[in-house]
Amino acid sequence: MFSKVNRPLNTLYSGLRRYSTATDKFTINVNSLVVEKTKTPLPKYTDKNKLVFGKEFSDHMVEVAWDANSGWGVPKISGYHNLSLPPSASVFHYALECFEGMKAYKDANGKIRLFRPMENMNRLYKSAERICLPTFNKEAVLELIKQMVLLDKDWIPEGRGYSLYLRPTMIATQKSLGVGTPQTALMFVIASPVGPYYPEGFKPVKLLADDRYVRAWVGGSGGFKLGSNYAPTIFPQLEAAKKGFQQVLWLLNDQITEVGTMNMFVFWKNNDGQMELITPPLSDGTILPGITRDSIIKLANQWGEFKVVEKNFTMSELAKAIKEGRVKEAFGAGTAAIVSPICSIHYKGQDYPIPIDAAKGAGALTARVADTLMGIQYGEIPSEWSVVLN
Ligand SMILES: *Cc1c(COP(=O)(O)O)cnc(C)c1O
């Protein structure tokens, strides 16, 4: 009798596959979902104010195995557990992995909400395609996520700024050192209770724009949420931190691309003297298509109070605009922080300060964007972007 840990993956997951009645290899059959409630609940946080991002995980996880011959197997929700994989699995060698980052929120009435979750499904689909991992019916994955969130709803900390961070992931599990299309894969979803990014009000960040490193390039994979995009960013991030900068501003031939793992926005008076919110365009594939980014562009367009443009701009142009006092605000945008105000950029040996409202810790627009998005996420502002689960 093999112990579970030593069983090869194809037998480990064959039990999941057996009862699937999926119609094709890229369809997950939600109706066959097996829910196995945990018999060993995890120790739950006692003080939500002490939560550290991504360190604690909720009781359950979703798993669906895929095989090139039989397609997606039976989806399963069971207790959070370790995976058993052969050391030869391609995910360990060639980083065949993609992921998503999204949140479940509990509103003041106890309703559980997701924010534009189908956008995460669309992006996961594209990321999977980019590295030849199997595609899937997006509604099914979203339904599995909803079921898991409802099962673990007591793990969603209450209050504005608190949430259950969800991490849908797909990995290539096949035993093979050959660089090639995976024949087996595993999709899983885990969840981590998190607190507000800025528990005591905004803390503006200082950036280092270091042109020795490039995060993404034209023709590369920067526009997809692949694990392989992130490992090489840690070393430059550490170097920046040693010099006293909290984040890296990623440049590509002097063009501004992203800040850390966030999309970059600048609110400035453009060369024609008009107020403009600018962010780099998605067209060349170097920019991760952030859902927060898209939401901010749509909101700002609805407000209609200033120009909103998706256009490339360079660090030299930004430095010049800062010197001329034309830059009013700059911020990063992403699910984890919503917005992260920027108070200075270090570039070619010089510091370029960006105005910050000392009382708020952020500019007026940055604060308004954060407040509006949070209002929608917590159901205070009615919007079809917020999807109620219960
Ligand atoms: C995830 C991510 C973002 C933000 O995307 P959201 O959908 O807004 O969370 C931005 N840039 C990079 C590099 C990312 O990985």
Side-chain angles (χ1 to χ4, degrees), residues 280-311:
L282 302 178
S283 47
D284 71 5
T286 63
I287 306 294
L288 195 289
I291 296 159
T292 316
R293 173 189 179 280
D294 184 70
S295 306
I296 293 170
I297 292 171
K298 291 198 162 85
L299 276 180
N301 273 319
Q302 276 172 24
W303 293 339
E305 297 164 21
F306 44 79
K307 275 186 80 177
V308 183
V309 296
E310 297 177 67
K311 208 171 84 180

PDB file of all heavy atoms in Angstrom, residues 280-311:
ATOM      1  N   PRO A 280       0.311  54.152 -18.888  1.00  0.00           N
ATOM      2  CA  PRO A 280       0.784  53.543 -20.138  1.00  0.00           C
ATOM      3  C   PRO A 280      -0.275  52.615 -20.747  1.00  0.00           C
ATOM      4  O   PRO A 280      -1.065  52.008 -20.023  1.00  0.00           O
ATOM      5  CB  PRO A 280       2.011  52.732 -19.716  1.00  0.00           C
ATOM      6  CG  PRO A 280       2.420  53.281 -18.397  1.00  0.00           C
ATOM      7  CD  PRO A 280       1.182  53.800 -17.748  1.00  0.00           C
ATOM      8  N   PRO A 281      -0.308  52.516 -22.070  1.00  0.00           N
ATOM      9  CA  PRO A 281      -1.321  51.698 -22.762  1.00  0.00           C
ATOM     10  C   PRO A 281      -0.967  50.211 -22.703  1.00  0.00           C
ATOM     11  O   PRO A 281       0.177  49.844 -22.439  1.00  0.00           O
ATOM     12  CB  PRO A 281      -1.240  52.192 -24.206  1.00  0.00           C
ATOM     13  CG  PRO A 281       0.183  52.620 -24.369  1.00  0.00           C
ATOM     14  CD  PRO A 281       0.629  53.146 -23.024  1.00  0.00           C
ATOM     15  N   LEU A 282      -1.976  49.372 -22.979  1.00  0.00           N
ATOM     16  CA  LEU A 282      -1.763  47.912 -22.936  1.00  0.00           C
ATOM     17  C   LEU A 282      -1.244  47.385 -24.277  1.00  0.00           C
ATOM     18  O   LEU A 282      -0.910  46.207 -24.389  1.00  0.00           O
ATOM     19  CB  LEU A 282      -3.087  47.212 -22.604  1.00  0.00           C
ATOM     20  CG  LEU A 282      -3.768  47.624 -21.287  1.00  0.00           C
ATOM     21  CD1 LEU A 282      -5.101  46.882 -21.137  1.00  0.00           C
ATOM     22  CD2 LEU A 282      -2.868  47.333 -20.092  1.00  0.00           C
ATOM     23  N   SER A 283      -1.148  48.275 -25.262  1.00  0.00           N
ATOM     24  CA  SER A 283      -0.960  47.820 -26.645  1.00  0.00           C
ATOM     25  C   SER A 283       0.323  47.040 -26.913  1.00  0.00           C
ATOM     26  O   SER A 283       0.325  46.154 -27.761  1.00  0.00           O
ATOM     27  CB  SER A 283      -1.041  49.022 -27.587  1.00  0.00           C
ATOM     28  OG  SER A 283      -0.240  50.073 -27.073  1.00  0.00           O
ATOM     29  N   ASP A 284       1.426  47.325 -26.219  1.00  0.00           N
ATOM     30  CA  ASP A 284       2.670  46.632 -26.592  1.00  0.00           C
ATOM     31  C   ASP A 284       2.957  45.381 -25.753  1.00  0.00           C
ATOM     32  O   ASP A 284       3.985  44.734 -25.907  1.00  0.00           O
ATOM     33  CB  ASP A 284       3.872  47.594 -26.589  1.00  0.00           C
ATOM     34  CG  ASP A 284       4.286  48.026 -25.191  1.00  0.00           C
ATOM     35  OD1 ASP A 284       3.714  47.511 -24.205  1.00  0.00           O
ATOM     36  OD2 ASP A 284       5.191  48.871 -25.072  1.00  0.00           O
ATOM     37  N   GLY A 285       2.031  45.019 -24.845  1.00  0.00           N
ATOM     38  CA  GLY A 285       2.176  43.764 -24.106  1.00  0.00           C
ATOM     39  C   GLY A 285       3.127  43.815 -22.916  1.00  0.00           C
ATOM     40  O   GLY A 285       3.391  42.798 -22.293  1.00  0.00           O
ATOM     41  N   THR A 286       3.634  45.003 -22.578  1.00  0.00           N
ATOM     42  CA  THR A 286       4.567  45.095 -21.441  1.00  0.00           C
ATOM     43  C   THR A 286       3.846  45.431 -20.138  1.00  0.00           C
ATOM     44  O   THR A 286       4.448  45.371 -19.073  1.00  0.00           O
ATOM     45  CB  THR A 286       5.645  46.171 -21.685  1.00  0.00           C
ATOM     46  OG1 THR A 286       5.005  47.442 -21.787  1.00  0.00           O
ATOM     47  CG2 THR A 286       6.434  45.884 -22.942  1.00  0.00           C
ATOM     48  N   ILE A 287       2.581  45.800 -20.249  1.00  0.00           N
ATOM     49  CA  ILE A 287       1.834  46.244 -19.071  1.00  0.00           C
ATOM     50  C   ILE A 287       0.821  45.176 -18.668  1.00  0.00           C
ATOM     51  O   ILE A 287       0.059  44.689 -19.508  1.00  0.00           O
ATOM     52  CB  ILE A 287       1.068  47.555 -19.378  1.00  0.00           C
ATOM     53  CG1 ILE A 287       2.026  48.636 -19.925  1.00  0.00           C
ATOM     54  CG2 ILE A 287       0.310  48.063 -18.151  1.00  0.00           C
ATOM     55  CD1 ILE A 287       3.070  49.133 -18.958  1.00  0.00           C
ATOM     56  N   LEU A 288       0.810  44.829 -17.393  1.00  0.00           N
ATOM     57  CA  LEU A 288      -0.180  43.879 -16.885  1.00  0.00           C
ATOM     58  C   LEU A 288      -1.550  44.572 -16.887  1.00  0.00           C
ATOM     59  O   LEU A 288      -1.697  45.656 -16.295  1.00  0.00           O
ATOM     60  CB  LEU A 288       0.226  43.462 -15.463  1.00  0.00           C
ATOM     61  CG  LEU A 288      -0.413  42.234 -14.800  1.00  0.00           C
ATOM     62  CD1 LEU A 288      -1.863  42.454 -14.424  1.00  0.00           C
ATOM     63  CD2 LEU A 288      -0.273  40.975 -15.625  1.00  0.00           C
ATOM     64  N   PRO A 289      -2.538  43.986 -17.550  1.00  0.00           N
ATOM     65  CA  PRO A 289      -3.862  44.641 -17.617  1.00  0.00           C
ATOM     66  C   PRO A 289      -4.601  44.561 -16.280  1.00  0.00           C
ATOM     67  O   PRO A 289      -5.440  43.687 -16.068  1.00  0.00           O
ATOM     68  CB  PRO A 289      -4.594  43.880 -18.724  1.00  0.00           C
ATOM     69  CG  PRO A 289      -3.876  42.581 -18.863  1.00  0.00           C
ATOM     70  CD  PRO A 289      -2.489  42.745 -18.340  1.00  0.00           C
ATOM     71  N   GLY A 290      -4.279  45.456 -15.398  1.00  0.00           N
ATOM     72  CA  GLY A 290      -4.849  45.466 -14.051  1.00  0.00           C
ATOM     73  C   GLY A 290      -6.343  45.768 -14.080  1.00  0.00           C
ATOM     74  O   GLY A 290      -6.809  46.601 -14.860  1.00  0.00           O
ATOM     75  N   ILE A 291      -7.081  45.091 -13.214  1.00  0.00           N
ATOM     76  CA  ILE A 291      -8.522  45.329 -13.117  1.00  0.00           C
ATOM     77  C   ILE A 291      -8.756  46.629 -12.348  1.00  0.00           C
ATOM     78  O   ILE A 291      -9.688  47.369 -12.625  1.00  0.00           O
ATOM     79  CB  ILE A 291      -9.209  44.107 -12.480  1.00  0.00           C
ATOM     80  CG1 ILE A 291      -9.020  42.913 -13.433  1.00  0.00           C
ATOM     81  CG2 ILE A 291     -10.692  44.360 -12.208  1.00  0.00           C
ATOM     82  CD1 ILE A 291      -9.163  41.561 -12.795  1.00  0.00           C
ATOM     83  N   THR A 292      -7.878  46.924 -11.400  1.00  0.00           N
ATOM     84  CA  THR A 292      -7.940  48.211 -10.703  1.00  0.00           C
ATOM     85  C   THR A 292      -7.660  49.330 -11.707  1.00  0.00           C
ATOM     86  O   THR A 292      -8.371  50.341 -11.742  1.00  0.00           O
ATOM     87  CB  THR A 292      -6.910  48.253  -9.564  1.00  0.00           C
ATOM     88  OG1 THR A 292      -6.941  47.014  -8.858  1.00  0.00           O
ATOM     89  CG2 THR A 292      -7.182  49.395  -8.602  1.00  0.00           C
ATOM     90  N   ARG A 293      -6.638  49.129 -12.553  1.00  0.00           N
ATOM     91  CA  ARG A 293      -6.299  50.099 -13.609  1.00  0.00           C
ATOM     92  C   ARG A 293      -7.515  50.388 -14.473  1.00  0.00           C
ATOM     93  O   ARG A 293      -7.895  51.546 -14.679  1.00  0.00           O
ATOM     94  CB  ARG A 293      -5.156  49.524 -14.463  1.00  0.00           C
ATOM     95  CG  ARG A 293      -4.792  50.328 -15.700  1.00  0.00           C
ATOM     96  CD  ARG A 293      -3.803  49.540 -16.580  1.00  0.00           C
ATOM     97  NE  ARG A 293      -3.458  50.288 -17.786  1.00  0.00           N
ATOM     98  CZ  ARG A 293      -4.230  50.356 -18.866  1.00  0.00           C
ATOM     99  NH1 ARG A 293      -5.399  49.732 -18.901  1.00  0.00           N
ATOM    100  NH2 ARG A 293      -3.835  51.056 -19.913  1.00  0.00           N
ATOM    101  N   ASP A 294      -8.144  49.321 -14.978  1.00  0.00           N
ATOM    102  CA  ASP A 294      -9.298  49.476 -15.851  1.00  0.00           C
ATOM    103  C   ASP A 294     -10.443  50.192 -15.130  1.00  0.00           C
ATOM    104  O   ASP A 294     -11.116  51.047 -15.709  1.00  0.00           O
ATOM    105  CB  ASP A 294      -9.764  48.092 -16.332  1.00  0.00           C
ATOM    106  CG  ASP A 294     -10.900  48.197 -17.331  1.00  0.00           C
ATOM    107  OD1 ASP A 294     -10.638  48.647 -18.455  1.00  0.00           O
ATOM    108  OD2 ASP A 294     -12.047  47.864 -16.969  1.00  0.00           O
ATOM    109  N   SER A 295     -10.642  49.850 -13.852  1.00  0.00           N
ATOM    110  CA  SER A 295     -11.730  50.457 -13.080  1.00  0.00           C
ATOM    111  C   SER A 295     -11.483  51.956 -12.883  1.00  0.00           C
ATOM    112  O   SER A 295     -12.418  52.757 -12.959  1.00  0.00           O
ATOM    113  CB  SER A 295     -11.861  49.771 -11.719  1.00  0.00           C
ATOM    114  OG  SER A 295     -11.995  48.377 -11.881  1.00  0.00           O
ATOM    115  N   ILE A 296     -10.224  52.318 -12.635  1.00  0.00           N
ATOM    116  CA  ILE A 296      -9.890  53.732 -12.421  1.00  0.00           C
ATOM    117  C   ILE A 296     -10.114  54.528 -13.708  1.00  0.00           C
ATOM    118  O   ILE A 296     -10.697  55.625 -13.688  1.00  0.00           O
ATOM    119  CB  ILE A 296      -8.428  53.878 -11.922  1.00  0.00           C
ATOM    120  CG1 ILE A 296      -8.302  53.276 -10.508  1.00  0.00           C
ATOM    121  CG2 ILE A 296      -7.983  55.341 -11.947  1.00  0.00           C
ATOM    122  CD1 ILE A 296      -6.871  53.141 -10.010  1.00  0.00           C
ATOM    123  N   ILE A 297      -9.705  53.944 -14.849  1.00  0.00           N
ATOM    124  CA  ILE A 297      -9.897  54.628 -16.136  1.00  0.00           C
ATOM    125  C   ILE A 297     -11.402  54.847 -16.378  1.00  0.00           C
ATOM    126  O   ILE A 297     -11.828  55.949 -16.761  1.00  0.00           O
ATOM    127  CB  ILE A 297      -9.270  53.797 -17.285  1.00  0.00           C
ATOM    128  CG1 ILE A 297      -7.745  53.790 -17.154  1.00  0.00           C
ATOM    129  CG2 ILE A 297      -9.705  54.326 -18.651  1.00  0.00           C
ATOM    130  CD1 ILE A 297      -7.037  52.824 -18.097  1.00  0.00           C
ATOM    131  N   LYS A 298     -12.194  53.805 -16.110  1.00  0.00           N
ATOM    132  CA  LYS A 298     -13.641  53.917 -16.356  1.00  0.00           C
ATOM    133  C   LYS A 298     -14.288  54.935 -15.405  1.00  0.00           C
ATOM    134  O   LYS A 298     -15.116  55.744 -15.837  1.00  0.00           O
ATOM    135  CB  LYS A 298     -14.310  52.546 -16.211  1.00  0.00           C
ATOM    136  CG  LYS A 298     -13.897  51.593 -17.336  1.00  0.00           C
ATOM    137  CD  LYS A 298     -14.855  50.418 -17.482  1.00  0.00           C
ATOM    138  CE  LYS A 298     -14.701  49.739 -18.846  1.00  0.00           C
ATOM    139  NZ  LYS A 298     -13.619  48.741 -18.887  1.00  0.00           N
ATOM    140  N   LEU A 299     -13.894  54.905 -14.134  1.00  0.00           N
ATOM    141  CA  LEU A 299     -14.446  55.863 -13.165  1.00  0.00           C
ATOM    142  C   LEU A 299     -14.101  57.297 -13.564  1.00  0.00           C
ATOM    143  O   LEU A 299     -14.967  58.172 -13.594  1.00  0.00           O
ATOM    144  CB  LEU A 299     -13.867  55.602 -11.767  1.00  0.00           C
ATOM    145  CG  LEU A 299     -14.507  54.531 -10.900  1.00  0.00           C
ATOM    146  CD1 LEU A 299     -13.767  54.445  -9.575  1.00  0.00           C
ATOM    147  CD2 LEU A 299     -15.988  54.836 -10.667  1.00  0.00           C
ATOM    148  N   ALA A 300     -12.813  57.523 -13.852  1.00  0.00           N
ATOM    149  CA  ALA A 300     -12.351  58.879 -14.169  1.00  0.00           C
ATOM    150  C   ALA A 300     -13.041  59.401 -15.421  1.00  0.00           C
ATOM    151  O   ALA A 300     -13.372  60.581 -15.514  1.00  0.00           O
ATOM    152  CB  ALA A 300     -10.831  58.906 -14.326  1.00  0.00           C
ATOM    153  N   ASN A 301     -13.277  58.504 -16.390  1.00  0.00           N
ATOM    154  CA  ASN A 301     -14.009  58.912 -17.596  1.00  0.00           C
ATOM    155  C   ASN A 301     -15.452  59.296 -17.262  1.00  0.00           C
ATOM    156  O   ASN A 301     -15.983  60.266 -17.796  1.00  0.00           O
ATOM    157  CB  ASN A 301     -13.981  57.799 -18.644  1.00  0.00           C
ATOM    158  CG  ASN A 301     -12.747  57.892 -19.521  1.00  0.00           C
ATOM    159  OD1 ASN A 301     -12.333  58.984 -19.919  1.00  0.00           O
ATOM    160  ND2 ASN A 301     -12.135  56.753 -19.801  1.00  0.00           N
ATOM    161  N   GLN A 302     -16.071  58.517 -16.329  1.00  0.00           N
ATOM    162  CA  GLN A 302     -17.441  58.850 -15.900  1.00  0.00           C
ATOM    163  C   GLN A 302     -17.474  60.213 -15.215  1.00  0.00           C
ATOM    164  O   GLN A 302     -18.394  60.991 -15.423  1.00  0.00           O
ATOM    165  CB  GLN A 302     -17.945  57.811 -14.899  1.00  0.00           C
ATOM    166  CG  GLN A 302     -18.540  56.565 -15.523  1.00  0.00           C
ATOM    167  CD  GLN A 302     -18.838  55.503 -14.467  1.00  0.00           C
ATOM    168  OE1 GLN A 302     -19.022  55.803 -13.280  1.00  0.00           O
ATOM    169  NE2 GLN A 302     -18.867  54.261 -14.894  1.00  0.00           N
ATOM    170  N   TRP A 303     -16.465  60.477 -14.382  1.00  0.00           N
ATOM    171  CA  TRP A 303     -16.413  61.769 -13.685  1.00  0.00           C
ATOM    172  C   TRP A 303     -16.332  62.909 -14.693  1.00  0.00           C
ATOM    173  O   TRP A 303     -16.923  63.963 -14.486  1.00  0.00           O
ATOM    174  CB  TRP A 303     -15.219  61.815 -12.719  1.00  0.00           C
ATOM    175  CG  TRP A 303     -15.363  60.858 -11.564  1.00  0.00           C
ATOM    176  CD1 TRP A 303     -16.528  60.315 -11.101  1.00  0.00           C
ATOM    177  CD2 TRP A 303     -14.320  60.333 -10.745  1.00  0.00           C
ATOM    178  NE1 TRP A 303     -16.263  59.478 -10.035  1.00  0.00           N
ATOM    179  CE2 TRP A 303     -14.917  59.472  -9.797  1.00  0.00           C
ATOM    180  CE3 TRP A 303     -12.926  60.493 -10.702  1.00  0.00           C
ATOM    181  CZ2 TRP A 303     -14.186  58.777  -8.828  1.00  0.00           C
ATOM    182  CZ3 TRP A 303     -12.191  59.806  -9.742  1.00  0.00           C
ATOM    183  CH2 TRP A 303     -12.820  58.953  -8.817  1.00  0.00           C
ATOM    184  N   GLY A 304     -15.556  62.661 -15.757  1.00  0.00           N
ATOM    185  CA  GLY A 304     -15.482  63.634 -16.850  1.00  0.00           C
ATOM    186  C   GLY A 304     -14.914  64.989 -16.453  1.00  0.00           C
ATOM    187  O   GLY A 304     -15.247  66.006 -17.055  1.00  0.00           O
ATOM    188  N   GLU A 305     -14.079  65.023 -15.432  1.00  0.00           N
ATOM    189  CA  GLU A 305     -13.571  66.311 -14.954  1.00  0.00           C
ATOM    190  C   GLU A 305     -12.208  66.666 -15.515  1.00  0.00           C
ATOM    191  O   GLU A 305     -11.730  67.786 -15.377  1.00  0.00           O
ATOM    192  CB  GLU A 305     -13.512  66.272 -13.411  1.00  0.00           C
ATOM    193  CG  GLU A 305     -14.888  66.108 -12.789  1.00  0.00           C
ATOM    194  CD  GLU A 305     -14.812  65.672 -11.328  1.00  0.00           C
ATOM    195  OE1 GLU A 305     -13.760  65.879 -10.693  1.00  0.00           O
ATOM    196  OE2 GLU A 305     -15.817  65.110 -10.837  1.00  0.00           O
ATOM    197  N   PHE A 306     -11.557  65.673 -16.075  1.00  0.00           N
ATOM    198  CA  PHE A 306     -10.223  65.904 -16.661  1.00  0.00           C
ATOM    199  C   PHE A 306     -10.008  64.852 -17.741  1.00  0.00           C
ATOM    200  O   PHE A 306     -10.768  63.881 -17.832  1.00  0.00           O
ATOM    201  CB  PHE A 306      -9.128  65.820 -15.580  1.00  0.00           C
ATOM    202  CG  PHE A 306      -9.310  64.647 -14.644  1.00  0.00           C
ATOM    203  CD1 PHE A 306      -8.929  63.373 -15.018  1.00  0.00           C
ATOM    204  CD2 PHE A 306      -9.912  64.825 -13.384  1.00  0.00           C
ATOM    205  CE1 PHE A 306      -9.116  62.293 -14.166  1.00  0.00           C
ATOM    206  CE2 PHE A 306     -10.107  63.745 -12.526  1.00  0.00           C
ATOM    207  CZ  PHE A 306      -9.711  62.468 -12.919  1.00  0.00           C
ATOM    208  N   LYS A 307      -8.973  65.040 -18.545  1.00  0.00           N
ATOM    209  CA  LYS A 307      -8.666  64.065 -19.600  1.00  0.00           C
ATOM    210  C   LYS A 307      -8.134  62.776 -18.988  1.00  0.00           C
ATOM    211  O   LYS A 307      -7.422  62.807 -17.980  1.00  0.00           O
ATOM    212  CB  LYS A 307      -7.583  64.630 -20.533  1.00  0.00           C
ATOM    213  CG  LYS A 307      -8.122  65.508 -21.639  1.00  0.00           C
ATOM    214  CD  LYS A 307      -6.999  65.906 -22.599  1.00  0.00           C
ATOM    215  CE  LYS A 307      -6.678  64.794 -23.591  1.00  0.00           C
ATOM    216  NZ  LYS A 307      -5.645  65.197 -24.571  1.00  0.00           N
ATOM    217  N   VAL A 308      -8.464  61.651 -19.587  1.00  0.00           N
ATOM    218  CA  VAL A 308      -7.924  60.356 -19.162  1.00  0.00           C
ATOM    219  C   VAL A 308      -7.274  59.738 -20.390  1.00  0.00           C
ATOM    220  O   VAL A 308      -7.950  59.527 -21.393  1.00  0.00           O
ATOM    221  CB  VAL A 308      -9.036  59.437 -18.629  1.00  0.00           C
ATOM    222  CG1 VAL A 308      -8.459  58.126 -18.113  1.00  0.00           C
ATOM    223  CG2 VAL A 308      -9.844  60.133 -17.532  1.00  0.00           C
ATOM    224  N   VAL A 309      -5.983  59.488 -20.333  1.00  0.00           N
ATOM    225  CA  VAL A 309      -5.316  58.946 -21.516  1.00  0.00           C
ATOM    226  C   VAL A 309      -4.468  57.721 -21.196  1.00  0.00           C
ATOM    227  O   VAL A 309      -3.831  57.641 -20.155  1.00  0.00           O
ATOM    228  CB  VAL A 309      -4.435  60.004 -22.246  1.00  0.00           C
ATOM    229  CG1 VAL A 309      -5.279  61.127 -22.794  1.00  0.00           C
ATOM    230  CG2 VAL A 309      -3.347  60.535 -21.339  1.00  0.00           C
ATOM    231  N   GLU A 310      -4.510  56.770 -22.125  1.00  0.00           N
ATOM    232  CA  GLU A 310      -3.621  55.610 -22.077  1.00  0.00           C
ATOM    233  C   GLU A 310      -2.566  55.872 -23.149  1.00  0.00           C
ATOM    234  O   GLU A 310      -2.832  55.730 -24.338  1.00  0.00           O
ATOM    235  CB  GLU A 310      -4.407  54.332 -22.370  1.00  0.00           C
ATOM    236  CG  GLU A 310      -5.474  54.044 -21.343  1.00  0.00           C
ATOM    237  CD  GLU A 310      -6.296  52.808 -21.704  1.00  0.00           C
ATOM    238  OE1 GLU A 310      -5.759  51.696 -21.703  1.00  0.00           O
ATOM    239  OE2 GLU A 310      -7.487  52.992 -21.989  1.00  0.00           O
ATOM    240  N   LYS A 311      -1.391  56.299 -22.694  1.00  0.00           N
ATOM    241  CA  LYS A 311      -0.381  56.762 -23.641  1.00  0.00           C
ATOM    242  C   LYS A 311       0.992  56.556 -23.019  1.00  0.00           C
ATOM    243  O   LYS A 311       1.150  56.696 -21.795  1.00  0.00           O
ATOM    244  CB  LYS A 311      -0.618  58.256 -23.889  1.00  0.00           C
ATOM    245  CG  LYS A 311      -0.180  58.755 -25.231  1.00  0.00           C
ATOM    246  CD  LYS A 311      -0.640  60.189 -25.475  1.00  0.00           C
ATOM    247  CE  LYS A 311       0.316  61.194 -24.869  1.00  0.00           C
ATOM    248  NZ  LYS A 311      -0.102  62.592 -25.075  1.00  0.00           N
TER     249      LYS A 311
END
